[in-house]
Amino acid sequence: MSKGTIVLAYSGGLDTSICIPLLKERYGYDRVITVVVNVGQRDEEISNATAKGKLLADKHYTIDAREKFVKNHIFPAIKANGSYEGYPMGTSLARPLIAQEVVKVAKKEGATAIAHGCTGKGNDQFRFDVIIRGAGLDVVAPIRELNLTRDWEIKYAKEHKIPVTVKSGKPWSIDENCWSRSIEGGKLEDPTYHPNEEIYLWTTAPKQALNKPEVITIQFIKGVPVSLNGKKIDGYQLIQKLNMLAGKHGIGRNDLIEDRVLGLKARENYEHPAATVLLTAHRDLESIVLSRQEIAFKRIVDDKWSELAYMGLISEPLYMALNAFIDKTQERVNGSVDLELFKGTVRVLGRKSPNALYSSDLVSFDSSSLDQCHAIGVSYYYGIQGRMLNQFTKKKK
Ligand code: ARG
């Protein structure tokens, strides 16, 4: 029985390309519509995927979601100091948005199912599935369901005249958007393997980076970056610019052992110059604006927010509640941070905020506007419980 139309979240790579004939031959769909969502991949990647979608599918869409990605996914991540085990989560933040855009096409085209090319080992399958099922559509995941191997896929692609760009000597998988570029798999699966420079594209090796440091200033309003060096700049442009600028100084590389949703540990390499700079600046600005209690509690909230974002659980009620808390704290996160970019490191040079809970007059050793004698009374009580306990134990001896 014919099953009508299916919409495929498409990247132009081998996995999603072989899904096109598989969805017809193995699953019985009559029409396959491919959708590429632009979340800041390189232009070349978008144009290749678009050309391949048009060539191989019955109908193709390329959707520009860059603005939405920055405003609705990256800005909240900055406010939450979003980091999962040290990874700023570019892929994790983009997947729900890609799924939402594909859902819109499916509804428009009257399709009842969406396909994706995720394997059964990674995190992306869950990030896609939860959004697709939440929209009342069925999920088809051929690579996961048919348990396919790479060699089989290459043979199948050749038989179906699908152009395959097997990169010999570069056996790893890459996923990129404007927030981070991830490199995993192949040789990198051996955690003792020392990757060389060829895996990096956005960053210069720190030791070969410019010999001259560069100083930049980033201004934030309500926890969101709004200007660079005194000039107002739109979020996407700022991220692109910082990726170039900080990338040139070798900033934002990491090599991690990451705990995936399934519990598998995976070796991941990342580069994310703009994310490193913006997260460093944002966290620093919070340190002068928020109270000690807010900072300590927000650390816990930020960690939980990052875990949910990593898992793609953006429709989880807790995620929305955490966002409400974070937004409340960010109302006062206004001000600017000066940073130095130099040989792989971003260093805060100074910060200022109209909402600072900081008074140089109160804290200064050179000022007498706060009478030091007030501290004497506090000191009598300081650590009183521990002192009492010590006295009791001494007496018992
Ligand atoms: N481990 C990261 C995540 O789950 C990145 C996965 C990206 N995929 C890739 N093919 N490189 O978000």
Side-chain angles (χ1 to χ4, degrees):
M1 200 189 75
S2 100
K3 287 195 188 157
T5 301
I6 187 161
V7 177
L8 169 68
Y10 190 58
S11 71
L14 177 65
D15 288 335
T16 53
S17 294
I18 63 153
C19 283
I20 302 171
L22 278 174
L23 288 166
K24 293 185 172 178
E25 287 178 5
R26 300 278 174 108
Y27 290 85
Y29 285 96
D30 311 303
R31 262 176 103 226
V32 178
I33 299 177
T34 44
V35 182
V36 167
V37 181
N38 186 346
V39 280
Q41 304 88 316
R42 263 165 309 131
D43 292 345
E44 183 198 344
E45 204 180 310
I46 297 292
S47 52
N48 281 343
T50 302
K52 262 174 123 179
K54 284 184 175 160
L55 175 77
L56 302 170
D58 297 292
K59 189 169 178 185
H60 175 83
Y61 286 81
T62 294
I63 295 166
D64 186 355
R66 288 175 292 180
E67 283 279 317
K68 251 190 231 167
F69 183 41
V70 173
K71 302 243 151 33
N72 303 344
H73 301 264
I74 294 180
F75 282 175
I78 295 174
K79 295 195 243 180
N81 299 310
S83 163
Y84 177 82
E85 299 181 349
Y87 155 48
M89 305 189 290
T91 302
S92 338
L93 298 172
R95 292 304 192 227
L97 172 61
I98 296 172
Q100 284 164 345
E101 294 299 322
V102 178
V103 162
K104 278 193 215 155
V105 172
K107 299 250 161 158
K108 186 174 152 210
E109 294 284 347
T112 55
I114 288 177
H116 61 66
C118 303
T119 70
K121 295 202 173 173
N123 298 319
D124 289 334
Q125 51 178 332
F126 303 113
R127 299 169 181 150
F128 275 113
D129 293 359
V130 73
I131 300 284
I132 298 168
R133 293 212 168 91
L137 299 168
D138 291 332
V139 175
V140 177
I143 312 297
R144 173 175 71 185
E145 288 155 16
L146 305 173
N147 217 354
L148 304 179
T149 62
R150 207 143 180 95
D151 285 346
W152 187 92
E153 289 182 24
I154 293 171
K155 207 170 133 254
Y156 182 80
K158 287 188 177 149
E159 282 163 17
H160 288 77
K161 303 207 165 30
I162 294 172
V164 186
T165 39
V166 194
K167 293 174 191 142
S168 54
K170 279 191 186 173
W172 39 69
S173 153
I174 290 165
D175 183 69
E176 72 171 23
N177 59 55
C178 62
W179 201 232
S180 66
R181 177 169 178 272
S182 100
I183 315 107
E184 65 177 14
K187 283 190 212 166
L188 301 168
E189 281 168 0
D190 171 1
T192 65
Y193 174 74
H194 297 196
N196 50 32
E197 281 305 308
E198 63 186 321
I199 68 165
Y200 299 109
L201 196 67
W202 296 4
T203 50
T204 308
K207 54 182 171 214
Q208 260 131 41
L210 306 175
N211 286 321
K212 214 170 147 270
E214 189 158 349
V215 177
I216 60 167
T217 302
I218 297 168
Q219 194 202 341
F220 291 82
I221 296 181
K222 295 193 178 185
V224 165
V226 292
S227 84
L228 175 65
N229 299 333
K231 277 205 202 99
K232 234 176 140 288
I233 185 166
D234 139 89
Y236 184 72
Q237 298 306 327
L238 172 67
I239 292 168
Q240 291 290 85
K241 200 155 186 171
L242 286 177
N243 274 335
M244 298 283 292
L245 213 64
K248 216 169 60 184
H249 287 279
I251 291 164
R253 289 185 177 186
N254 51 12
D255 181 330
L256 313 169
I257 297 295
E258 182 176 303
D259 292 286
R260 286 189 188 156
V261 175
L262 280 172
L264 296 169
K265 282 191 185 290
R267 198 265 185 97
E268 300 281 351
N269 287 269
Y270 296 109
E271 42 186 358
H272 36 76
T276 302
V277 171
L278 291 171
L279 292 170
T280 304
H282 177 265
R283 193 186 284 277
D284 186 86
L285 188 58
E286 281 192 333
S287 73
I288 200 168
V289 168
L290 301 184
S291 71
R292 171 161 68 179
Q293 297 292 341
E294 281 179 303
I295 291 170
F297 189 69
K298 188 167 180 290
R299 225 172 263 147
I300 301 169
V301 171
D302 289 348
D303 271 355
K304 194 69 201 175
W305 187 97
S306 300
E307 188 191 326
L308 293 175
Y310 181 78
M311 295 184 157
L313 292 175
I314 64 164
S315 37
E316 156 68 46
L318 178 62
Y319 179 78
M320 297 176 220
L322 297 182
N323 273 318
F325 167 82
I326 292 169
D327 282 343
K328 182 69 196 157
T329 63
Q330 299 304 293
E331 284 172 5
R332 286 148 43 224
V333 183
N334 304 311
S336 60
V337 183
D338 299 330
L339 307 128
E340 181 192 76
L341 314 178
F342 188 52
K343 293 209 179 280
T345 313
V346 53
R347 199 162 66 90
V348 175
L349 298 178
R351 75 289 284 157
K352 67 172 179 218
S353 167
N355 304 86
L357 291 180
Y358 178 87
S359 161
S360 52
D361 183 42
L362 291 182
V363 78
S364 172
F365 296 119
D366 303 323
S367 116
S368 55
S369 60
L370 191 77
D371 188 341
Q372 294 185 47
C373 295
H374 293 326
I376 299 171
V378 177
S379 173
Y380 279 117
Y381 290 92
Y382 197 68
I384 192 165
Q385 298 185 345
R387 280 190 279 142
M388 285 166 75
L389 184 66
N390 281 340
Q391 272 168 9
F392 296 155
T393 26
K394 260 189 221 148
K395 265 186 207 154
K396 272 188 199 153
K397 274 183 193 165

